Every structure is written in C-alpha cells, then in structure tokens.
Amino acid sequence: MKFGREYEAQMIQEWREAYMDYRSLKSIVKQILRYRLQKQQRPPRPPPAAGDTAPLQSDGGKGGKGGTGAAGLSRRVSLYRAFSGLTNRAKGSPKKSHKHNNPLSSKRHHYHLFEDDDEQVILINEDETASYTTTFLSPAEEGGEMEVQFFRRLDGEFNKVLRFYKQKVENVMEEADELSRQLNVLIALRVKVENPNVDFPPDINGVSSGPASPHTTTRTPATSPLDVIREMEQTEDKKVFKPAPVEVLDHIKLKIEPETPLTTLKCMIMGLTSEQTFSKSELKRAEELMSRAFVEFYQKLRFLKSYCFLNQLAFSKILKKYDKTTSRNASKPYLNTVDHSYLGSCDEVSRLMPRVEATFIKHFANGNHREGMKCLRPKAKREKHRITYFLGFFSGCAVALAIAITVLVHIRGITKSEGRHQYMENIFPLYSLFGFVAVHLFIYAADIFFWSRYRVNYPFIFGFEQGTDLGYREVLLLGSGLAVLTFGGVISNLDMEMDPRTKSFSVITELVPLALFLCLMLTLFCPFNIVYRSSRYFLIGCFFRCLLSPLYKVILPDFFLADQLTSQVQTFRSMLFYVCYYGWGGDFKKRTHTCYESEIYKELYLAVAIIPYWFRLAQCIRRLVEEKDKMHGLNGLKYLSTILAVVARTIFETKRGTYWLTVAVTTSSIATLFNTYWDIFKDWGLMNRNSKNPWLRDKLLVPYKSIYFIVMVVNVVLRLAWMQTVLGIKEAPFLHQRALVAVIASLEIVRRGIWNFFRLENEHLNNVGKYRAFKSVPLPFQELGGSKSV
C-alpha cells in the first residue's frame, strides 16, 4: 500500500483536517517533476541575474488551533494513600510552559542557513510565537516559483500541526491535573466508606515522634484507621507521612446523576436532591465513572502519540520525495527543525502514559497488570475466516430455499388454489415478521459497509466498546441465518390440504412459526456468551431506555434505535397478530381467526403503531427540557404529526367513509411533507444553497455529488409509498393485500437504511468540524457552592 493511502487510513478521522495535507503537497511535487521533465525537452534559457533571492512569506497555514509506597506495606494499604498526581504539578502552581531544546531558536526572530556542501538550499525563520517561515534561496531559477509554493504550503501545514498539537497537549495536562484531584477525593471516599482496619508497624521508616505537622498525626493506643494510613514523601533530608486527605470530603459533593426511573421521577416531580450518604453504592458508582474517565484519558494520550508520529512521518516522506524530484538536500535541515520543534521534542505525553497505566492498574484493576492493560488497550477485533465461511454457507442455503419455494408454488398452483386466501390471511403475516427483521439486518449490513468504506467512525458515534462492534459480515451472517430458518418454515406450511377426518392441518407444521418466534426471543435474551452477547445486551439496553424515554437522558444510540423502530410498525403489528392467532382469537389448527373483528385487537393494532413514534416524541420532550433547544420542540411536532397521521389512517382502514378519507389524506400529507423536509434539511444537512457544493453542504464524504440528489428524490418517493392505504390501493394484480402491505413495509425499511447512512455521515462531519474524537465522561466530584470540578 502506498504511504498516502496508509497515512489516511491511520488518521484519527475526527482530526482529519488537523493532519498535514500530504496529498496537496504531493501534487505540488508532481507539478515540479512534470515541469523538470518538460524542461529537459527544450533548450535552456540564460541564467538569472545575481541578487534575485527574496524572502518567502508564509501564510501561516489554515486549519485547527493550534509513588511508590513504603517497603513492606500491603497493596490494600496503598489503595488508601493520598495520590500525588499524574503530572506532579502542585495545585495552584503556574502552568509550566514547554521549552523545547531547539538549538536554532532564540528569544526574537532567528534565521539559520542550512548548507549542503557548497549549495545553500533554504533559510528557516522561527519567530517568537514559535511559527516557522522558510525562505527558498533560488526562486529565480526556472520552476522556482513552484518550489516557493511548495515551501509556503509546507510551512502552513507545519504551523497548523504545531498549533493543534500544542493546544491538545495543554488540554491533556490540565485534564491530568483534574483527574489527579478527583482520584485523591476518590481515595478519601474509599477510606471513609470501607473504613479499612489496617495498621503500620511502629517506626516503619525511622520517623521519630515529635510535633505533628499539618499533614501528620500522632499514634495513640486508641487510634483510628485514618491515623495509620500514610504515604511516604521525600522532603529534603528526612521522610514524613502524609495521611489520606479525608478532610477533602467536607468540601465536595457527588455529581452522580440518577440512573433509575424512580430517582428521576423523584427529582422531576418532588424536586428532591440526592443526599450524600457516603455509601458503598456511591463509592461503586464513583469508581466506575473514574475508571471510564481514565480509560478515555488514556485513549486521548494514545491518539496524541499517534498524531505526533504520523505527522512527523508524513513530513519526512514528502521532503524526501521533494529531494528526489529536485535533486536537492532540503529534507535534512527541515526535518532537523521538525525534530527540535514542539512536535518533535515535547515528551509530556510519553511521560504521562506510563504513570496513567500504573495508576489505573493500582486503583481500578486490583493490581492485575494484564487486566488493567486489557481495559486500557483493548485488542482490535480480528476478522475470522469462519464468519466468511458460514456467511457463504447460509447465503447459499437461503437462495436455494427461496428457489425451492418458488418452484413449489408454481408446480402446485398455489397462487390459484382455494386455500390461497386462507394462507395469506393466516400464515403469511406470521412469517412476514421474520422477513422484516431480515431485511433490516441486510440494510444495516450495507450501511456498515459504506460507513467503513467512507471512514465514518460509527463505533465511536454509537458508543460501542472497542472490539465489540459488529462488522457487515457478522450482520449479514445473522440476516442470512434468519432467512434460512424462515424459508425452511415457509416450506413446511405450504401444504394446502387438510385432513378429511379432522378438517385441520398438521399441528406440528402449524406451530413452526411460533417455534421460530420463541427461538428468536430466546436468542435475543440468552444470558450465555454466544451469538454476540455484548451487542445483544447493548440493543436490549437501548430498547429499555426507549421504553422509558422521558425518564432517561437521551443519547444518540437510543434515539437512533427509536427511529429504526418507526420503520418497523408492521413488525409490531405482526407480533400482536402472533398473540391473537395463537391466543384468544384464532384456531391455528384450522388456519382461521377472528382477530380483525375483535375490538380489543383493533385498539391494540392502533396502539402498537403509535408506540415507536411516542418513543421519539418523549425523547424530544426530554431534550427540549434539558437543553432548552427549540429545534427539539420542532422535531417533537414532527413526530406528533406522524402519530396523528397513523391514527387517522388506521381508523380509516376500519371505518372507511369520505370524512375519514379526508382526515387521513390531510394528516398523512402534512406528516409526509414535514418528515421529508426534516430528513433532507436537518438530519442530512443538505439543500444549503450557499455551500461550496451548491444545494448540498460544504463537506461531503461520497465523491459523487449526483448520489446526494438521487437519494433526496428516492427519499421523497419512498415517503409517499406508505400513503397507499389512504389512497385506496388495496390489492395489485397477482399480489394479495397482505403481500402488498409487506412490500410497502419493506420499502420503508429500505428508505430507513438510506436515511441511516446520510444521518451518520452528517453526525460524523459535525464531529470532524469540532475535532470531537472522545466520549465525554462526567467526573463524580464537585466543589461545594459551585459547578467547578474538584
């Protein structure tokens, strides 16, 4: 693989614009190469006059902003020692500015000439703001203006990278100090809650008794556990003990948000605030938050280290390519400047990483180095050959079964038989449920494939733990496996002949759809670590939070799942039909039911269609209350209009009449227009007439602009498709009414799949614009009387 592709593949996608633009610099080098090749084919011109050199002014670039414990003490005792900090910077001390050991730098402007034997190539200037400007010393040569352009662009990229890296390192150091203070409070809380009964041997370090310092206590026969918990500190020529800072707890409060619906209701209705009880549950929750914060912080350090390395490598590659093209030796002096700049000489990140590792292993991994590093550096998921094998196997079986069903239907003349209507009214709705789920899995697999291809960081957006996200092969495997089971069940129910003695069908075959449904539910809730348990539990957790939408803080995976459920209304109705058919309203042995005549069924039929839209409406209301953003209110109105349209359409299906037809058409039209507008303008961020890409948006991931216009048209057409029930299209030629409903429902799932890709593309580009590459983890402690962290 060429370096350019490998370089882009290894980028942190949310920081993409902050990386050195290797592609543009390479294009300038190619222009220089083409010019030199053309020059060799034409006679040389007279040499330039002496004294034609001129300083090169840089445009500045574009882009982003720039203890070990005492010997003999047990590890359990060390968990309660005061934490000395990750950065060893005292609280309140002034920030230590980084001074790199650049032999070329000075307090003011500095110029340095670099020589390659007898030829001077470039002159590099570093000003007092640590920005670099390069002067090319032979601009009057033929093609020299292109080399001037190269170094001007190179300086711009170098200064951009420096500013961004320096800003991120400063942010990381500030966050390290805050984590140190939070960890110190956590240790104090751990001491108070667990009340450890540990003891130090007397005179363990030869410290004689004497006047107690503000940070020491005198041992007495009736001493408390806090008096014997010490951390050894070096102070000039003697050693003293520092107790765990339990007094800190008097000045902080826990910021642990309520996570159960009951506590949320108490806070919302009764206005109760949680009291600090310093209980074990509070300690456990605080430790979980701190553990997550340390994992995210360590990920930031790894990203910064990777960012630094990749950019240094890119500068090396492009300068060597320039040297090879121009037969000059500019790479050595310029790379020497890069090495002595903040980018090459700052070692804050490298020194911080081992200290974070040691702290995490000690306090959050029970001293187990392997488990601690497993949490900090989870292994990347590896592609397994058996996944590909079984995917091909199940896909082949599904295709073969589909062909077999087609042949059986044709040979037996089932489409023209007397039992056709009975089969479509009773059996087809049972199997259509599995069809809707399988189609959604196939569409989701296609989304994952294209997200990966266009480098949309969907695991980060959804909040998947590293190594647990499913690739498109795994999702296709699940879909094809479900398709095989479904087609096998369909074949078992294609027998249209009843037993003349009982006038009923075989009980075993009639129970096949119910058995498949139960198997699907058991697999989804299976507690064993099979069939992607982490992904199943993630899905169940999201669904549970959707079910109690107003009582949980709304996050992207939750409302994204709720949006998927709005396209699965027919699946919910099929589940309701299962209950009725095998329950109170049907006789499955004779393939008959009275569900459609039942008033209870009609009411539930309407309710299950509204539930997914209610999830989204409740989430919008919650976000409106929390974030005070009117856009969430408008989004809620969109789902409210859809609920009214669904109600009107469902009533029209049962009651008919001109009045309900008018109401259904009106509400459906309003909902369709509202939803279509929101899809294109808000969710996808398109139709911006003043953007760099007219009528689209400034940044696009798909290189073909026509794709965006095509999907907008397709989205409108598919939005109109679900209005077919209102318009009275009940049965097409050679297509039963139930089959037509299934086709329309499948088209809605396809539309949702298209929406998924462009919705996450827009979300990803928003993250890129804000350089948002990490999850925000709330810290557990806060100072009393303010909103600042400890």
Side-chain angles (χ1 to χ4, degrees), residues 3 11 74 84 121 151 154 165 249 327 368 385 401 457 522-523 542 570 621 790:
F3 173 74
M11 283 181 180
S74 66
S84 58
V121 182
F151 283 106
L154 185 67
Y165 184 68
L249 296 176
S327 300
N368 190 321
H385 294 297
L401 288 173
N457 193 0
L522 290 175
T523 303
C542 291
Q570 289 301 325
I621 294 173
V790 176

Side-chain angles (χ1 to χ4, degrees), residues 85-285:
L86 293 170
T87 60
N88 293 324
R89 298 194 296 186
K91 185 177 180 180
S93 62
K95 293 181 181 179
K96 182 172 61 176
S97 61
H98 176 80
K99 296 182 179 180
H100 49 76
N101 299 321
N102 188 353
L104 314 178
S105 63
S106 63
K107 294 182 180 180
R108 293 290 179 180
H109 297 270
H110 179 84
Y111 290 88
H112 192 90
L113 291 173
F114 294 97
E115 299 183 5
D116 180 18
D117 295 331
D118 299 329
E119 182 183 359
Q120 297 177 350
V121 182
I122 55 176
L123 181 147
I124 301 178
N125 167 39
E126 179 191 6
D127 60 23
E128 54 190 10
T129 63
S131 295
Y132 292 85
T133 305
T134 303
T135 301
F136 178 60
L137 300 180
S138 303
E141 293 183 1
E142 285 192 65
E145 63 278 2
M146 285 184 285
E147 297 186 54
V148 169
Q149 180 187 2
F150 172 80
F151 283 106
R152 180 184 293 118
R153 187 60 180 266
L154 185 67
D155 289 338
E157 296 299 320
F158 184 37
N159 292 325
K160 176 186 72 175
V161 170
L162 279 177
R163 286 194 298 269
F164 181 83
Y165 184 68
K166 187 173 183 179
Q167 179 193 3
K168 289 299 180 183
V169 171
E170 289 174 355
N171 293 342
V172 159
M173 298 306 292
E174 292 176 1
E175 187 172 350
D177 290 337
E178 178 59 30
L179 283 177
S180 301
R181 292 189 287 269
Q182 293 275 333
L183 185 56
N184 229 6
V185 178
L186 178 66
I187 295 171
L189 179 62
R190 185 180 290 160
V191 170
K192 188 172 183 65
V193 172
E194 298 181 352
N195 194 24
N197 188 16
V198 294
D199 200 1
F200 283 80
D203 223 8
I204 188 171
N205 284 297
V207 181
S208 60
S209 60
S213 69
H215 296 289
T216 60
T217 57
T218 305
R219 293 179 53 85
T220 62
T223 183
S224 67
L226 302 182
D227 295 326
V228 296
I229 299 172
R230 307 286 191 268
E231 180 175 8
M232 189 170 59
E233 288 190 340
Q234 298 288 345
T235 58
E236 297 182 359
D237 58 347
K238 72 174 185 177
K239 299 176 182 178
V240 298
F241 289 108
K242 180 181 179 182
V246 184
E247 65 276 4
V248 174
L249 296 176
D250 299 331
H251 308 288
I252 65 98
K253 66 177 180 179
L254 274 67
K255 295 192 303 180
I256 299 176
E257 298 179 357
E259 290 209 344
T260 63
L262 182 60
T263 53
T264 304
L265 282 174
K266 287 181 179 180
C267 293
M268 292 174 61
I269 299 174
M270 304 175 64
L272 297 178
T273 57
S274 57
E275 297 180 357
Q276 294 187 176
T277 59
F278 299 120
S279 62
K280 288 188 177 181
S281 61
E282 289 180 344
L283 173 62
K284 182 179 179 181
R285 178 59 181 159

Side-chain angles (χ1 to χ4, degrees), residues 297-342:
F297 181 70
Y298 189 76
Q299 184 75 351
K300 292 180 185 180
L301 297 180
R302 294 181 64 193
F303 279 9
L304 277 173
K305 190 173 182 180
S306 170
Y307 175 84
C308 177
F309 170 76
L310 272 181
N311 278 288
Q312 286 180 290
L313 184 60
F315 281 112
S316 174
K317 290 286 185 180
I318 197 63
L319 282 166
K320 289 180 180 178
K321 187 176 289 291
Y322 168 82
D323 283 355
K324 183 178 179 180
T325 301
T326 61
S327 300
R328 303 185 190 277
N329 190 16
S331 61
K332 184 177 180 180
Y334 204 100
L335 291 178
N336 187 47
T337 302
V338 172
D339 290 340
H340 289 89
S341 68
Y342 191 91

Side-chain angles (χ1 to χ4, degrees), residues 580-604:
C580 179
Y581 185 73
Y582 288 104
W584 81 85
D587 185 357
F588 64 89
K589 296 179 181 179
K590 297 182 179 180
R591 288 189 185 175
T592 59
H593 69 87
T594 58
C595 295
Y596 299 145
E597 288 76 31
S598 171
E599 292 298 326
I600 297 177
Y601 181 84
K602 291 178 181 179
E603 293 175 0
L604 293 176

Side-chain angles (χ1 to χ4, degrees), residues 749-768:
I749 295 172
V750 172
R751 188 202 65 80
R752 179 60 61 184
I754 297 172
W755 179 90
N756 288 345
F757 175 82
F758 294 98
R759 175 66 182 87
L760 247 67
E761 179 202 30
N762 193 33
E763 184 71 19
H764 173 76
L765 292 175
N766 289 335
N767 291 340
V768 170

